[in-house]
Amino acid sequence: RAVSLAQSYRNPFNSATTIDYELRSASGVVLEVYDLSGQRVRRLVDHYQEGGRYQVSWDGLDETGDPLSSGVYLMRLQALSRVETRKMMLMK
């Protein structure tokens, strides 16, 4: 597979979750978190990366540093002309 986005772990989580992904080759990468209404709440990665495995932590905060409410969120990875999406549950 060109791009692989693993299910986050700890899921559900209350303080932080870890997101693992893998790129077969170098690419621009955008990893974002969305709420279920489709609104982006946080951009975690937005830069060029070499092929390989990567790990990013998300602390449940939005772009301005405010804590988000409990609920289901979507992590969305765009790279190598592909898009992968996974659900994660934030519980306070």
Side-chain angles (χ1 to χ4, degrees):
R1 291 174 55 172
V3 175
S4 176
L5 176 62
Q7 182 58 56
S8 62
Y9 58 93
R10 298 191 103 50
N11 189 26
F13 71 100
N14 63 8
S15 60
T17 189
T18 301
I19 301 165
D20 290 327
Y21 61 95
E22 186 172 355
L23 308 173
R24 184 182 66 208
S25 58
S27 175
V29 176
V30 177
L31 177 62
E32 297 170 315
V33 178
Y34 289 83
D35 63 20
L36 287 181
S37 72
Q39 180 176 323
R40 187 183 79 210
V41 295
R42 182 86 178 263
R43 180 172 284 163
L44 301 173
V45 176
D46 185 5
H47 56 270
Y48 186 86
Q49 293 181 314
E50 296 298 324
R53 292 181 180 192
Y54 295 89
Q55 193 173 73
V56 176
S57 181
W58 179 49
D59 53 12
L61 303 179
D62 68 11
E63 295 280 12
T64 62
D66 292 326
L68 292 165
S69 59
S70 295
V72 176
Y73 292 87
L74 303 172
M75 53 182 155
R76 182 175 188 265
L77 176 68
Q78 290 178 259
L80 296 166
S81 301
R82 309 253 188 211
V83 175
E84 296 248 342
T85 305
R86 299 278 182 272
K87 291 181 182 178
M88 54 190 162
M89 171 93 55
L90 172 61
M91 297 181 69
K92 296 284 180 160

